[in-house]
Amino acid sequence: ILTKQPHTEVTSTHRQRQAGTVGVDLGVYTLAAMSTGETIDNPRHLDAARTRLTKAQRALSRTQKGSKRRRRAARLVGRRHHEVAERRTTTLHTLTKTLATQWSTIAIEDLNVAGMTRSARGTLEQPGRNVRAKSGLNRAILDAAPGELRRQLEYKTNWYGSSLKVIDRFFPSSQTCSACGAKAKLTLAERVYRCAACGFTADRDVNAAINIAAQAAVTPGMEETLNARRAVDDHPQPAGSRSSSAMKWEG
C-alpha cells in the first residue's frame, strides 16, 4: 500500500542542538571518522564474501550455455551478490540514522566518486600504471559506497530535524592541521597527521573530520539543495508548457 502525505516540518530535538555539528570524513581505511574522535570500522563486505563469490563464479564458468545447471549456478551467483548488497545497506542505514538523530548538523565532503573510481588502464598509446592496484582501490571505494551514504543522509536529515552541509571537494581537509591551520603534504599511506609547525598529532581521518566540522561552521549556505538526480531547476517553465523540470520521484 502506497500513501502520499504532505511534508511536515520537523525541528531538531534538544539533544541534537546540544550535540551541535559533527564532521564526518568518509574513506576506505575507516568507513567514517568523526570530529568527536570516534571512528567506524569498514566492514569490507566484498572482501569477506570473496571466497564464496569466487567459488560460485568458477562453478558458473564451468557450465554449458543454455543448460539448467548454468541457470542454477547463475542464480547462486546472484544470491551471493545480493547478500553482500544487503549487508552493505544495513551498515549504511545504521550509520546514517545514528548521524541524523544524534546531531543537529552533519558535515561531509562533496566527493567525486565517479572520478575517484575511474580506471587507470589508459589507452594503447599511453597505457596506465599500477592498473591492478588502482582496480583494487576502485572496488574498495565502491564497496564503502560513499555516494549511497550521502543519499541516505539527504533524506534522513529531513526526517529527523537535522541538516546536511556539504563541503567543497577541493577543501584540503586531510592536508590541514586542525590545531593551527598549517598545511602539510601527506601520502595515502600515511595514517597519522603530524604537524611540523605546532607538533599536533592525530589520526589522519579524525583530523580531516575536525577540519570539515570547522569549515561547515564558518561557511554559510552549504546546505544540500540538489534533488536525487543532482539537478537544479534554474529555468522555470512557463505556465502550460509540456516540458518538465527535474523532479525527485519516490515510490
Side-chain angles (χ1 to χ4, degrees), residues 13 28 31 36 64 71 83 107 112 129 152 189 195 198 203 206:
T13 63
V28 173
L31 181 62
T36 58
Q64 184 178 359
R71 287 195 292 271
E83 291 168 356
N112 182 15
R129 296 181 299 173
Q152 292 183 14
C195 180
C198 67
D203 180 85
V206 172

PDB file of all heavy atoms in Angstrom, residues 13 28 31 36 64 71 83 107 112 129 152 189 195 198 203 206:
ATOM      1  N   THR A  13      15.769  18.174  17.989  1.00  0.00           N
ATOM      2  CA  THR A  13      15.479  17.973  19.404  1.00  0.00           C
ATOM      3  C   THR A  13      16.508  18.709  20.265  1.00  0.00           C
ATOM      4  O   THR A  13      17.536  19.200  19.766  1.00  0.00           O
ATOM      5  CB  THR A  13      15.509  16.476  19.742  1.00  0.00           C
ATOM      6  OG1 THR A  13      16.833  15.970  19.502  1.00  0.00           O
ATOM      7  CG2 THR A  13      14.522  15.711  18.874  1.00  0.00           C
ATOM      8  N   VAL A  28      38.081   4.608   3.012  1.00  0.00           N
ATOM      9  CA  VAL A  28      38.181   3.168   2.809  1.00  0.00           C
ATOM     10  C   VAL A  28      38.856   2.500   3.995  1.00  0.00           C
ATOM     11  O   VAL A  28      38.428   1.440   4.457  1.00  0.00           O
ATOM     12  CB  VAL A  28      38.953   2.867   1.497  1.00  0.00           C
ATOM     13  CG1 VAL A  28      39.211   1.374   1.348  1.00  0.00           C
ATOM     14  CG2 VAL A  28      38.182   3.396   0.300  1.00  0.00           C
ATOM     15  N   LEU A  31      35.456   3.400   7.553  1.00  0.00           N
ATOM     16  CA  LEU A  31      34.263   3.790   6.814  1.00  0.00           C
ATOM     17  C   LEU A  31      33.918   5.255   7.069  1.00  0.00           C
ATOM     18  O   LEU A  31      33.577   5.991   6.144  1.00  0.00           O
ATOM     19  CB  LEU A  31      33.092   2.884   7.213  1.00  0.00           C
ATOM     20  CG  LEU A  31      31.766   3.148   6.503  1.00  0.00           C
ATOM     21  CD1 LEU A  31      31.906   2.927   5.004  1.00  0.00           C
ATOM     22  CD2 LEU A  31      30.668   2.253   7.070  1.00  0.00           C
ATOM     23  N   THR A  36      34.393  14.021  16.606  1.00  0.00           N
ATOM     24  CA  THR A  36      34.411  13.715  18.039  1.00  0.00           C
ATOM     25  C   THR A  36      35.559  12.778  18.411  1.00  0.00           C
ATOM     26  O   THR A  36      35.796  12.530  19.589  1.00  0.00           O
ATOM     27  CB  THR A  36      33.084  13.072  18.453  1.00  0.00           C
ATOM     28  OG1 THR A  36      32.866  11.881  17.673  1.00  0.00           O
ATOM     29  CG2 THR A  36      31.930  14.028  18.235  1.00  0.00           C
ATOM     30  N   GLN A  64      27.629 -25.393 -19.125  1.00  0.00           N
ATOM     31  CA  GLN A  64      27.373 -25.248 -20.552  1.00  0.00           C
ATOM     32  C   GLN A  64      26.273 -24.221 -20.770  1.00  0.00           C
ATOM     33  O   GLN A  64      25.260 -24.214 -20.051  1.00  0.00           O
ATOM     34  CB  GLN A  64      26.974 -26.592 -21.160  1.00  0.00           C
ATOM     35  CG  GLN A  64      26.772 -26.560 -22.671  1.00  0.00           C
ATOM     36  CD  GLN A  64      26.434 -27.928 -23.217  1.00  0.00           C
ATOM     37  OE1 GLN A  64      26.370 -28.889 -22.457  1.00  0.00           O
ATOM     38  NE2 GLN A  64      26.217 -28.021 -24.525  1.00  0.00           N
ATOM     39  N   ARG A  71      21.731 -22.205 -15.326  1.00  0.00           N
ATOM     40  CA  ARG A  71      20.751 -21.298 -14.740  1.00  0.00           C
ATOM     41  C   ARG A  71      20.790 -21.374 -13.213  1.00  0.00           C
ATOM     42  O   ARG A  71      20.674 -20.353 -12.529  1.00  0.00           O
ATOM     43  CB  ARG A  71      19.357 -21.630 -15.269  1.00  0.00           C
ATOM     44  CG  ARG A  71      19.136 -21.224 -16.720  1.00  0.00           C
ATOM     45  CD  ARG A  71      17.658 -21.228 -17.066  1.00  0.00           C
ATOM     46  NE  ARG A  71      17.121 -22.586 -17.070  1.00  0.00           N
ATOM     47  CZ  ARG A  71      17.109 -23.387 -18.128  1.00  0.00           C
ATOM     48  NH1 ARG A  71      17.619 -22.963 -19.284  1.00  0.00           N
ATOM     49  NH2 ARG A  71      16.590 -24.596 -18.052  1.00  0.00           N
ATOM     50  N   GLU A  83      23.453 -10.934  -1.117  1.00  0.00           N
ATOM     51  CA  GLU A  83      23.824 -10.978   0.297  1.00  0.00           C
ATOM     52  C   GLU A  83      24.799  -9.855   0.643  1.00  0.00           C
ATOM     53  O   GLU A  83      24.670  -9.199   1.681  1.00  0.00           O
ATOM     54  CB  GLU A  83      24.440 -12.339   0.631  1.00  0.00           C
ATOM     55  CG  GLU A  83      23.451 -13.494   0.591  1.00  0.00           C
ATOM     56  CD  GLU A  83      24.145 -14.840   0.648  1.00  0.00           C
ATOM     57  OE1 GLU A  83      25.416 -14.862   0.639  1.00  0.00           O
ATOM     58  OE2 GLU A  83      23.451 -15.874   0.694  1.00  0.00           O
ATOM     59  N   ALA A 107      28.213  17.426   8.627  1.00  0.00           N
ATOM     60  CA  ALA A 107      29.032  17.997   7.558  1.00  0.00           C
ATOM     61  C   ALA A 107      29.863  16.900   6.911  1.00  0.00           C
ATOM     62  O   ALA A 107      30.535  16.134   7.610  1.00  0.00           O
ATOM     63  CB  ALA A 107      29.942  19.091   8.110  1.00  0.00           C
ATOM     64  N   ASN A 112      33.884  13.276  -5.369  1.00  0.00           N
ATOM     65  CA  ASN A 112      33.671  12.952  -6.779  1.00  0.00           C
ATOM     66  C   ASN A 112      33.916  11.452  -6.954  1.00  0.00           C
ATOM     67  O   ASN A 112      34.994  11.020  -7.362  1.00  0.00           O
ATOM     68  CB  ASN A 112      34.621  13.773  -7.650  1.00  0.00           C
ATOM     69  CG  ASN A 112      34.416  13.512  -9.130  1.00  0.00           C
ATOM     70  OD1 ASN A 112      33.410  12.936  -9.542  1.00  0.00           O
ATOM     71  ND2 ASN A 112      35.377  13.917  -9.944  1.00  0.00           N
ATOM     72  N   ARG A 129      49.600   3.074 -15.350  1.00  0.00           N
ATOM     73  CA  ARG A 129      50.497   2.354 -14.455  1.00  0.00           C
ATOM     74  C   ARG A 129      49.733   1.925 -13.207  1.00  0.00           C
ATOM     75  O   ARG A 129      48.759   2.548 -12.820  1.00  0.00           O
ATOM     76  CB  ARG A 129      51.679   3.243 -14.062  1.00  0.00           C
ATOM     77  CG  ARG A 129      52.570   3.629 -15.237  1.00  0.00           C
ATOM     78  CD  ARG A 129      53.728   4.492 -14.762  1.00  0.00           C
ATOM     79  NE  ARG A 129      53.259   5.738 -14.157  1.00  0.00           N
ATOM     80  CZ  ARG A 129      54.060   6.613 -13.546  1.00  0.00           C
ATOM     81  NH1 ARG A 129      55.356   6.373 -13.447  1.00  0.00           N
ATOM     82  NH2 ARG A 129      53.566   7.718 -13.036  1.00  0.00           N
ATOM     83  N   GLN A 152      21.426   8.740   1.556  1.00  0.00           N
ATOM     84  CA  GLN A 152      20.607   8.450   2.726  1.00  0.00           C
ATOM     85  C   GLN A 152      20.582   9.622   3.701  1.00  0.00           C
ATOM     86  O   GLN A 152      19.537   9.915   4.299  1.00  0.00           O
ATOM     87  CB  GLN A 152      21.122   7.187   3.410  1.00  0.00           C
ATOM     88  CG  GLN A 152      20.913   5.915   2.614  1.00  0.00           C
ATOM     89  CD  GLN A 152      21.359   4.678   3.354  1.00  0.00           C
ATOM     90  OE1 GLN A 152      21.594   4.719   4.553  1.00  0.00           O
ATOM     91  NE2 GLN A 152      21.481   3.562   2.647  1.00  0.00           N
ATOM     92  N   ALA A 189      49.480   6.538   2.111  1.00  0.00           N
ATOM     93  CA  ALA A 189      49.930   5.522   3.064  1.00  0.00           C
ATOM     94  C   ALA A 189      50.091   6.071   4.472  1.00  0.00           C
ATOM     95  O   ALA A 189      50.108   5.291   5.433  1.00  0.00           O
ATOM     96  CB  ALA A 189      51.261   4.919   2.587  1.00  0.00           C
ATOM     97  N   CYS A 195      51.887  17.604  12.665  1.00  0.00           N
ATOM     98  CA  CYS A 195      52.108  18.981  12.226  1.00  0.00           C
ATOM     99  C   CYS A 195      53.522  19.408  12.593  1.00  0.00           C
ATOM    100  O   CYS A 195      53.924  19.335  13.769  1.00  0.00           O
ATOM    101  CB  CYS A 195      51.073  19.904  12.860  1.00  0.00           C
ATOM    102  SG  CYS A 195      51.254  21.637  12.366  1.00  0.00           S
ATOM    103  N   CYS A 198      53.217  23.075  14.878  1.00  0.00           N
ATOM    104  CA  CYS A 198      52.817  23.123  16.288  1.00  0.00           C
ATOM    105  C   CYS A 198      52.978  21.800  17.014  1.00  0.00           C
ATOM    106  O   CYS A 198      52.751  21.726  18.226  1.00  0.00           O
ATOM    107  CB  CYS A 198      51.362  23.592  16.412  1.00  0.00           C
ATOM    108  SG  CYS A 198      50.155  22.426  15.734  1.00  0.00           S
ATOM    109  N   ASP A 203      45.003  11.107  14.340  1.00  0.00           N
ATOM    110  CA  ASP A 203      44.676  10.224  13.225  1.00  0.00           C
ATOM    111  C   ASP A 203      44.342  11.065  11.998  1.00  0.00           C
ATOM    112  O   ASP A 203      43.679  12.103  12.100  1.00  0.00           O
ATOM    113  CB  ASP A 203      43.498   9.326  13.602  1.00  0.00           C
ATOM    114  CG  ASP A 203      43.114   8.377  12.485  1.00  0.00           C
ATOM    115  OD1 ASP A 203      43.729   7.297  12.396  1.00  0.00           O
ATOM    116  OD2 ASP A 203      42.212   8.715  11.702  1.00  0.00           O
ATOM    117  N   VAL A 206      40.533  11.543  11.485  1.00  0.00           N
ATOM    118  CA  VAL A 206      39.928  12.360  12.541  1.00  0.00           C
ATOM    119  C   VAL A 206      40.310  13.819  12.358  1.00  0.00           C
ATOM    120  O   VAL A 206      39.487  14.728  12.534  1.00  0.00           O
ATOM    121  CB  VAL A 206      40.347  11.837  13.928  1.00  0.00           C
ATOM    122  CG1 VAL A 206      39.878  12.786  15.033  1.00  0.00           C
ATOM    123  CG2 VAL A 206      39.790  10.438  14.169  1.00  0.00           C
TER     124      VAL A 206
END
